[in-house]
Amino acid sequence: MTVRREFQEPAGCRPDLVIGRDELTTAAREQLARGGSVLLHGPAGIGKSTVLRALVAEYADTARIVLRCSATESESHLPFLALADLLGLVVGEVSDQLPPAQRTALESALTGRGESTLQSDGLALRLAVLSALRALAAHGPVLIVADDLQWLDSASAELLGFAARRLGDTPVQLLCAVRTEGQEYDRHLRASPPDTLAVRLSPLSRVQVSALLDHRGYTDLPRSTVRDIHRTSGGNPLFALELGRALAENPTPPRPGEPLPVPTSLRALVLSRLDMLSDEARRTLLVASAGARPTLALLHAAGLENAEADTAQAAALGLLATEPEGPALRFAHPLISAALYAEASAQERRTAHAALSTAASDPIERARHLALATTGTDPEVAARLAEAAALARDRGAPSVAASLGLLAARHTPADGEPGPDERRLQAAEDAITAGEVDLARDIAREVLTRATVPAERVRAWEVVIEAAGQSLGDVDAVFPQVLADAGDDPRLLALVHYRLAWRGLVVVGDFAEARRQAAHAAELAARGEDRRTELMALSLQASTETLMGHPDAPATIKQALREPQDPYVACHHNGVGVARFRWLLMSDQLPEARTTITALLREVQRRGMVESEVHFQRFLAETELRSGHCGRALDLARESLRLARDSGIGLGASAMLTSLAEASGGDVDRALALAREAVERAEEDGDQMYLSRALAALGYAQSVAGDAAGAVGSLRRVRELELGLGITDPARGRWQGDLAEALVRIGEPGEAQDVIDVTRERALRLGRESILAVLDRAEALVRAARGEHEEALARLTSVQDRFAKLGYGLEEARAAFALAQLRTRQPGPTSYDESARLFRRCRALPWLRQVDAATTAVQAPPAAVPERDTASGALEGLASMERQVAALVMEGATNREIAARLFISVKTVEATLTRVYRKLGIRSRVDIVRLAAGRRAQ
């Protein structure tokens, strides 16, 4: 018998049920799969019922019977109600198996007939529930699902707990959820089976809240608003969704500096105890809710003489959390503070801010409160806010600076100097620095609707273009308008041509055009005495020349490093520091590159430059990856990707680099998925420059995964793209060696040699020592494929030593691995110990797995070897790789053994055999053996 499962969700609802709960649900799934019980617990709205429904939908089919109950507060006083929900539909199946006294007690409790109570029928009723569950489980597993355990009537809760503690090995599992705060779940755990796993649902991260809002259709909310929703909700999914709904339905967004509007549904939920406060205590809490970091000292300075008594009253009601250490006052949940503020009248809010505008010790806080206490325009207030914004900018808080700048603009008179739009544009630029590109774009678009001054219009267009990021194709149409607005002003034209240089790179995919535009922008900026733009343009010119392999690159870098320097440009992700870092990295100066990028990362973190931080995390990860520190690189790459997803900046580039790190030191399947994501994003954005990098990452991941044919397809596309882009420096993407090695594996050594020869010429011209070593490793495999084993062994030995001296740990390990694989083809003992040691030192887990597979193949007992020379005539007309594979089949080798001996994947062996069958006119490997036997018989 199976009870109807009402917990199952429609298929379309499943994806958002477990957002942010993968780790928790994995632990719960494993516990249920082992036959154990699970208790989900956490505060209201945290998603317990959601996770419960998802788990039931997944595991209900494994039970013969599912018994369920879901209690409510209004029904918790009714005795045996939950017991009736659980057993009411199935008691008839087992009642005749119960002793008369137990049957009578249970039927009386379930039907309400008679006067059954725990006092009068205590032992009989307890034993009846235990016996009923055992009888039900005798014919198959039983799953008990109980939501909102806190509302279970006390009689049912006691009976269920009695039975649960005594079920032993009986196949009865409990899957329950209970609302708790802190460690309150302990008493529910004591009423559960001894093996119960308690799973606390924690708040969602900002990225997870963003994903939840997107899934529910709230996709138009700016990232700064999503950040506020996460902070106000405390990561509670129910609260976050209600706040998102209120904002989506509210045509007027909150003003800068104000908390989010809190819907009535949430106000009632979190402020149910507010009416129990005295009027004075309520005013005290309102001032605390308006303050950024409220303390008793701050409340006293704001004129609240009874702050201690008022806050003690609020803490007793659970509105404030008690802090054993430190002077700060903390609301029990951020939503209480927001709801309290939303409940107050506009005049009450202004009064609270006016008190704090003199009480706060921080000048930024004083200015913010002054603005929120003031109505209308006021030049003095606007000036104080602008000064506070500058101070926040200097402190490395550009998001705060943007908020203060918007407040300054709101209080600036129309004829003020500077004007309100100039202050809005400064706020937009601060928002760009903070990574809040949606806010910046909205501000700039608003300014463009009314601005007539060319400088303001060009500045606004700059923000719009900058906010587009890698999707410059989306704003391609604005460039003619920007040129028209710039007129013949060299300062404005320099800004436009700098952006046109980026357009040449990203949209057109023409490095020569990008270099020309960057050089022209630098000249215009110098003429207009705009040193910042001149330095940015020179940095872009230097980076472009470096990637092109242009001989002027060192001279341009030197020119960009001349004094005077600009602190902003010096640490910007498109500034001169990055141009120098890129040159060091491509010139094999790894320690210097690491020192440079580490210092840059530290500085942008201090300044709060989010976009630059995303890029610098990635650059540092790339440096560590080349150094063979795969574990460290993977951690940095994942952090860069997390920050990119959180901010919406540099997603494609971070996915690309994380793919490389995953393929080297993590999970190959994840590497493939990330590389494909990066390719898709670059194609959507029309970004030719990053498309080649993404495809190179995909090719590398495919190669590590053993898909040599797929790697060749991806890397051939890279070759075509970079030829069109004008990129000639092989150190830019470092994909040429991977292409050559993959070509060898699919039986195309001739094309592999062509790739090596062309690349070697460029690498020699530019002095790229590590690239030359990579090419020599690939050429050793070409020679081995042609039967030149001694030359191949000598070359690989030399390559391994060269990589060690250059500090390329992973490349050194790959050379050692290739050397060991090549030696397996020669008589005598073979060991993979050296390559395993080197890969282990790098924490290169995917490569270590390849070593394990190769070692296993070598240790397998060899098959009988027929005479090869008598069968060689059958292989005439086959390509080199095809002949080798077919010959090994004739020897009786399995596909896995062939793959290990030829340094190719099993998939490549299968593909090669397919071509052999077609060329020889046969159908299977058995026919190859028969063909060989026929040749020998002649």
Side-chain angles (χ1 to χ4, degrees):
M1 172 180 180
T2 302
V3 177
R4 184 162 163 253
R5 300 181 177 93
E6 297 181 5
F7 275 92
Q8 190 148 357
E9 292 288 326
C13 296
R14 290 295 304 282
D16 80 313
L17 290 178
V18 291
I19 286 177
R21 304 302 189 194
D22 291 346
E23 185 175 344
L24 297 178
T25 54
T26 296
R29 286 191 188 98
E30 291 174 351
Q31 174 74 354
L32 291 169
R34 287 192 295 266
S37 298
V38 173
L39 176 67
L40 306 171
H41 66 98
I46 202 65
K48 302 178 299 297
S49 298
T50 297
V51 174
L52 186 78
R53 286 193 293 269
L55 291 171
V56 172
E58 186 171 347
Y59 279 91
D61 290 336
T62 65
R64 186 181 73 89
I65 295 177
V66 177
L67 309 176
R68 69 172 186 86
C69 66
S70 183
T72 62
E73 185 177 12
S74 62
E75 299 170 343
S76 61
H77 65 286
L78 300 173
F80 305 121
L81 183 62
L83 185 67
D85 286 342
L86 289 171
L87 298 178
L89 295 179
V90 297
V91 67
E93 183 181 335
V94 297
S95 61
D96 59 345
Q97 302 177 43
L98 305 181
Q102 293 182 22
R103 181 169 61 249
T104 300
L106 183 59
E107 289 177 349
S108 177
L110 294 178
T111 62
R113 294 191 295 270
E115 297 295 330
S116 179
T117 66
L118 281 178
Q119 286 70 34
S120 62
D121 302 310
L123 182 57
L125 193 51
R126 288 175 173 85
L127 293 174
V129 172
L130 178 59
S131 299
L133 291 176
R134 284 173 173 165
L136 289 170
H139 302 289
V142 175
L143 177 64
I144 297 175
V145 180
D147 198 6
D148 284 319
L149 278 183
Q150 74 277 2
W151 302 133
L152 246 65
D153 63 275
S154 58
S156 296
E158 205 286 330
L159 290 169
L160 186 60
F162 176 87
R165 292 190 297 271
R166 290 164 175 81
L167 284 169
D169 295 333
T170 306
V172 177
Q173 295 174 264
L174 272 68
L175 175 55
C176 306
V178 61
R179 181 188 301 179
T180 58
E181 296 290 344
Q183 298 299 313
E184 295 175 12
Y185 73 94
D186 277 355
R187 63 185 180 90
H188 297 286
L189 193 60
R190 287 193 294 272
S192 303
D195 67 341
T196 299
L197 173 69
V199 178
R200 178 171 179 79
L201 272 68
S202 55
L204 299 180
S205 68
R206 181 164 48 160
V207 175
Q208 291 162 350
V209 166
S210 178
L212 181 62
L213 292 168
D214 285 347
H215 190 84
R216 289 298 180 90
Y218 307 130
T219 55
D220 295 329
L221 297 173
R223 287 189 174 84
S224 56
T225 302
V226 173
R227 179 196 61 204
D228 291 341
I229 289 175
H230 176 257
R231 183 181 64 246
T232 303
S233 69
N236 185 296
L238 172 65
F239 298 171
L241 287 171
E242 285 297 296
L243 289 168
R245 179 182 59 78
L247 285 165
E249 295 173 354
N250 187 356
T252 305
R255 297 189 302 175
E258 288 188 347
L260 297 177
V262 180
T264 305
S265 59
L266 291 185
R267 293 189 203 183
L269 179 64
V270 300
L271 296 182
S272 57
R273 290 161 287 187
L274 194 63
D275 291 338
M276 302 173 67
L277 285 172
S278 66
D279 291 343
E280 187 175 1
R282 185 165 180 157
R283 283 193 296 273
T284 298
L285 281 196
L286 175 60
V287 174
S289 73
R293 293 173 296 277
T295 62
L296 286 173
L298 177 67
L299 296 178
H300 281 302
L304 299 166
E305 298 178 356
N306 297 319
E308 284 89 349
D310 294 340
T311 54
Q313 184 183 358
L317 292 172
L319 294 169
L320 288 178
T322 56
E323 294 286 354
E325 298 179 1
L329 297 172
R330 185 172 64 83
F331 283 88
H333 192 281
L335 193 60
I336 296 175
S337 173
L340 182 65
Y341 189 90
E343 194 80 1
S345 67
Q347 182 55 49
E348 287 174 328
R349 295 179 196 174
R350 284 195 293 272
T351 300
H353 286 297
L356 290 169
S357 68
T358 57
S361 59
D362 186 86
I364 293 177
E365 276 300 293
R366 288 199 300 271
R368 185 178 74 87
H369 289 302
L370 179 62
L372 295 174
T374 305
T375 58
T377 60
D378 187 320
E380 183 178 346
V381 171
R384 284 186 57 183
L385 284 163
E387 291 171 2
L391 181 58
R393 198 176 303 120
D394 291 341
R395 286 182 181 178
S399 180
V400 175
S403 177
L404 292 168
L406 289 175
L407 286 171
R410 195 178 83 201
H411 290 287
T412 300
D415 58 352
E417 184 60 40
D421 280 344
E422 187 172 346
R423 283 180 166 150
R424 287 189 182 93
L425 288 172
Q426 179 61 65
E429 290 164 355
D430 286 329
I432 286 283
T433 302
E436 298 178 8
V437 293
D438 295 334
L439 174 62
R441 184 190 302 110
D442 291 344
I443 296 170
R445 292 284 187 187
E446 179 193 351
V447 170
L448 285 166
T449 61
R450 56 177 174 268
T452 57
V453 178
E456 287 187 354
R457 290 190 62 80
V458 171
R459 191 176 175 187
W461 284 124
E462 280 273 295
V463 172
V464 171
I465 296 170
E466 180 76 13
Q470 298 297 123
S471 305
L472 275 180
D474 294 346
V475 294
D476 205 28
V478 310
F479 283 101
Q481 301 176 58
V482 189
L483 281 168
D485 285 334
D488 57 1
D489 187 328
R491 291 175 65 91
L492 300 181
L493 284 171
L495 292 170
V496 179
H497 283 280
Y498 173 71
R499 297 296 174 185
L500 284 170
W502 277 108
R503 177 183 177 275
L505 277 181
V506 175
V507 179
V508 181
D510 188 337
F511 272 60
E513 171 65 11
R515 176 180 178 269
R516 187 185 68 80
Q517 289 283 6
H520 186 42
E523 294 170 4
L524 288 166
R527 196 188 315 161
E529 298 181 350
D530 180 357
R531 182 60 174 165
R532 173 173 290 189
T533 303
E534 181 187 7
L535 288 171
M536 291 294 287
L538 285 170
S539 300
L540 177 55
Q541 180 185 345
S543 294
T544 305
E545 289 172 348
T546 298
L547 296 174
M548 293 173 66
H550 197 284
D552 290 349
T556 307
I557 293 174
K558 186 176 180 180
Q559 184 181 357
L561 287 169
R562 290 176 186 161
E563 295 294 338
Q565 286 294 310
D566 182 291
Y568 173 82
V569 177
C571 65
H572 191 273
H573 57 276
N574 290 323
V576 64
V578 170
R580 181 173 179 273
F581 159 76
R582 188 172 283 115
W583 173 260
L584 290 169
L585 189 67
M586 294 173 65
S587 300
D588 299 323
Q589 301 179 57
L590 297 183
E592 295 86 348
R594 181 186 295 107
T595 300
T596 299
I597 200 62
T598 301
L600 288 170
L601 176 59
R602 191 179 300 116
E603 179 62 14
V604 298
Q605 288 174 332
R606 186 188 70 80
R607 289 171 171 263
M609 298 170 68
V610 175
E611 183 173 6
S612 294
E613 182 180 354
V614 171
H615 292 299
F616 292 168
Q617 287 271 15
R618 189 177 79 252
F619 293 159
L620 182 54
E622 183 176 2
T623 307
E624 298 293 357
L625 194 58
R626 294 196 184 184
S627 302
H629 305 151
C630 297
R632 169 70 172 150
L634 186 57
D635 291 341
L636 288 164
R638 286 174 175 171
E639 175 61 19
S640 172
L641 184 59
R642 184 201 63 77
L643 191 58
R645 294 200 191 286
D646 196 8
S647 63
I649 295 170
L651 274 170
S654 292
M656 174 273 297
L657 198 281
T658 309
S659 171
L660 290 172
E662 290 282 0
S664 298
D667 182 272
V668 179
D669 289 336
R670 179 165 169 76
L672 290 166
L674 286 167
R676 292 188 176 106
E677 176 189 340
V679 169
E680 183 178 345
R681 287 187 178 277
E683 289 176 334
E684 287 177 356
D685 294 341
D687 186 342
Q688 299 298 300
M689 184 170 61
Y690 265 111
L691 178 57
S692 68
R693 293 296 308 273
L695 284 167
L698 177 59
Y700 174 68
Q702 289 169 322
S703 181
V704 176
D707 181 10
V712 168
S714 298
L715 297 175
R716 278 174 175 164
R717 283 189 66 191
V718 178
R719 181 173 57 184
E720 294 170 5
L721 277 169
E722 294 204 350
L723 182 63
L725 290 168
I727 299 174
T728 61
D729 192 334
R732 187 250 181 179
R734 304 180 65 86
W735 50 266
Q736 297 84 354
D738 290 330
L739 174 56
E741 293 184 15
L743 285 166
V744 172
R745 292 173 196 167
I746 67 168
E748 298 292 346
E751 184 182 347
Q753 189 63 56
D754 290 341
V755 172
I756 292 167
D757 292 342
V758 171
T759 308
R760 180 178 283 128
E761 180 183 353
R762 296 170 179 172
L764 283 168
R765 175 173 59 85
L766 296 167
R768 303 296 189 233
E769 291 298 326
S770 65
I771 298 296
L772 290 169
V774 167
L775 296 174
D776 281 351
R777 184 182 65 207
E779 188 167 23
L781 300 183
V782 173
R783 291 180 178 273
R786 292 173 174 167
E788 302 171 18
H789 294 288
E790 294 304 321
E791 172 61 27
L793 287 170
R795 185 162 297 215
L796 283 173
T797 303
S798 169
V799 164
Q800 183 180 341
D801 292 341
R802 287 155 62 192
F803 279 133
K805 291 175 183 177
L806 289 168
Y808 282 76
L810 182 59
E811 300 289 7
E812 178 190 358
R814 287 180 63 179
F817 186 36
L819 189 60
Q821 287 185 307
L822 192 57
R823 283 174 175 156
T824 63
R825 308 183 196 178
Q826 306 298 309
T830 300
S831 174
Y832 285 93
D833 291 349
E834 174 69 2
S835 57
R837 181 185 68 80
L838 293 173
F839 281 133
R840 197 173 294 112
R841 184 183 67 182
C842 295
R843 286 181 56 190
L845 302 183
W847 287 101
L848 273 171
R849 285 190 280 271
Q850 289 195 32
V851 173
D852 290 341
T855 303
T856 302
V858 168
Q859 292 171 348
V865 181
E867 297 179 24
R868 291 181 56 190
D869 53 350
T870 59
S872 61
L875 307 184
E876 294 176 1
L878 298 181
S880 173
M881 178 61 69
E882 293 166 353
R883 284 197 304 274
Q884 292 180 70
V885 170
L888 289 170
V889 169
M890 291 177 177
E891 294 175 2
T894 66
N895 285 4
R896 182 174 296 278
E897 290 167 347
I898 294 170
R901 292 179 66 175
L902 297 183
F903 190 24
I904 59 178
S905 70
V906 174
K907 289 182 179 179
T908 301
V909 173
E910 293 168 352
T912 304
L913 280 174
T914 300
R915 293 196 301 273
V916 170
Y917 301 155
R918 185 175 62 252
K919 290 182 179 181
L920 297 181
I922 58 179
R923 295 182 179 180
S924 68
R925 61 188 294 127
V926 175
D927 292 331
I928 295 179
V929 177
R930 287 173 179 168
L931 185 62
R935 291 284 179 178
R936 285 196 302 273
Q938 296 173 5

